[in-house]
Amino acid sequence: MSEQAPNEARVIPLRPPAVRPPAARPPDTRPGTTRPASERPATAPPATAPDTAPPRAAPKEPLWRDLVGDVLRRERLAQERTLKDVADAARISMPYLSEVERGRKEASSEVLAAAAHALGLGLGDLLSLAQGELIRVTSRRVPGGSRGRTGASYDGLCLAA
């Protein structure tokens, strides 16, 4: 009749396996035993080339959830209100609001609007304050202030999904 392919799954690794060099151990020692410091061989620091500097990691962009959470917390504390008070007014759980303020949760627009209204802000006000925070944080890290700006000036909020 017809030949069927064997029912075998093939695993394709996404990352190459990490290769660790074997631990260097003098042949005369057993695992679990240690020698007195006077008998240990001297170890030299690893040699590095003086001309090469370690590569610098690019600064990470701030996460939107961190910025929005910072704005919510700052507004709540400025009004001297408790987390419980704002959570009750917004009709969301206190632990969830705490996680949103700490940037641990990515809140939906409905939750953000409820929290903003509980603080006497509109959703647009909250997002505008978060945009200002984003500009403040990113301009602090980039020499010269603005990064990649063209000649046109835009003083509005632009969100893309």
Side-chain angles (χ1 to χ4, degrees):
M1 298 210 150
S2 66
E3 275 188 49
Q4 292 181 342
N7 191 9
E8 294 179 13
R10 192 173 75 170
V11 177
I12 301 172
L14 298 177
R15 293 185 190 142
V19 179
R20 293 184 181 166
R25 192 175 76 218
D28 60 334
T29 62
R30 293 185 313 265
T33 62
T34 58
R35 290 193 238 169
S38 60
E39 295 179 13
R40 291 185 197 146
T43 57
T48 58
D51 297 346
T52 60
R56 277 184 134 173
K60 287 187 176 181
E61 289 287 328
L63 296 176
W64 185 250
R65 65 178 184 235
D66 290 330
L67 297 170
V68 171
D70 289 343
V71 169
L72 285 172
R73 178 165 285 178
R74 189 171 53 242
E75 287 296 317
R76 179 177 60 81
L77 294 175
Q79 296 176 15
E80 298 180 354
R81 293 176 67 184
T82 64
L83 196 61
K84 180 170 179 22
D85 177 38
V86 175
D88 288 345
R91 299 181 56 108
I92 56 180
S93 73
M94 190 174 66
Y96 187 73
L97 180 59
S98 173
E99 288 184 326
V100 169
E101 282 188 353
R102 290 181 290 134
R104 301 280 190 248
K105 294 289 183 186
E106 192 85 47
S108 69
S109 58
E110 292 170 321
V111 170
L112 291 177
H117 287 127
L119 292 167
L121 301 170
L123 182 59
D125 298 328
L126 175 66
L127 298 180
S128 179
L129 289 169
Q131 179 204 17
E133 183 72 11
L134 175 65
I135 290 170
R136 186 183 66 78
V137 169
T138 55
S139 66
R140 195 173 39 187
R141 278 195 266 170
V142 177
S146 63
R147 169 175 45 158
R149 282 222 172 151
T150 59
S153 171
Y154 181 71
D155 191 29
L157 177 65
C158 182
L159 298 176

